[in-house]
Amino acid sequence: MDTALRRYDIIKKYRDKKMKCPFCGHLDTQVKDSRPSDDGLTIRRRRFCPECNSRFTTFERVQLRELTVVKKNGERRMFDRDKLAHSIGIAIRKRPVSAEQLEQLVTRITQKLESLGENEIPTSLIGKTVMDELKKVDSVAYIRFASVYRDFREANDFEDIVGELDSKT
Ligand SMILES: [Zn+2]
């Protein structure tokens, strides 16, 4: 068997059996409920810690390929899903977007990038993909993300974005 696949299998088994409680560190938490997300791309598990009675959620998802991010200056690093979720999380702060919606958004973006058939993805393409998907979810979050991504040095950029939103509504 492919070693990467094997490793994934082992990690998955480990995760299924022994997910550590993030609150007290207890090693043996129980799965209370397991269900696929609406888009069918992730499985969401509600877990319970018998030690401290905490509840938390884990997600299992498909990974089609390992992506490498290529920065403008040519620097390469591993694609980091959590980092992506974090930067989108900042854009949606205090917006009516649930944790589950964020999770689905990140999954859609990741799958889109993985489906391109390329192992190396320029940051500009990631930014564009995030903007395309974010626009469908929340326009304020979209403008916030765009303001960071496009770096509003040119006032015209902002007008372009607002224009795009106007033409949509
Ligand atoms: Zn616990």
Side-chain angles (χ1 to χ4, degrees), residues 28-49:
D28 198 16
T29 54
Q30 299 162 5
V31 175
K32 285 288 164 196
D33 177 52
S34 186
R35 65 182 174 87
S37 58
D38 294 338
D39 55 18
L41 297 176
T42 47
I43 294 173
R44 191 171 178 271
R45 292 202 167 89
R46 286 297 292 157
R47 290 176 184 263
F48 170 73
C49 173

Side-chain angles (χ1 to χ4, degrees), residues 70-132:
V70 185
K71 290 191 194 173
K72 241 183 185 167
N73 63 11
E75 210 177 285
R76 286 166 163 73
R77 58 180 162 78
M78 283 274 286
F79 174 76
D80 185 340
R81 194 183 190 285
D82 291 339
K83 223 179 233 177
L84 178 68
H86 180 74
S87 60
I88 298 174
I90 292 169
I92 62 164
R93 198 171 280 166
K94 291 188 177 161
R95 296 297 304 160
V97 180
S98 69
E100 183 152 16
Q101 275 178 298
L102 171 62
E103 181 59 31
Q104 287 179 11
L105 183 63
V106 174
T107 301
R108 270 204 305 280
I109 293 165
T110 306
Q111 295 242 326
K112 237 180 167 179
L113 296 172
E114 287 175 355
S115 308
L116 293 173
E118 299 288 337
N119 292 324
E120 301 202 331
I121 311 282
T123 46
S124 56
L125 185 55
I126 296 176
K128 197 190 167 301
T129 308
V130 171
M131 288 180 32
D132 287 348

Side-chain angles (χ1 to χ4, degrees), residues 20-26 29 48-54 56:
K20 199 169 160 182
C21 172
F23 301 100
C24 74
H26 186 65
T29 54
F48 170 73
C49 173
E51 191 67 23
C52 70
N53 293 332
S54 297
F56 61 102

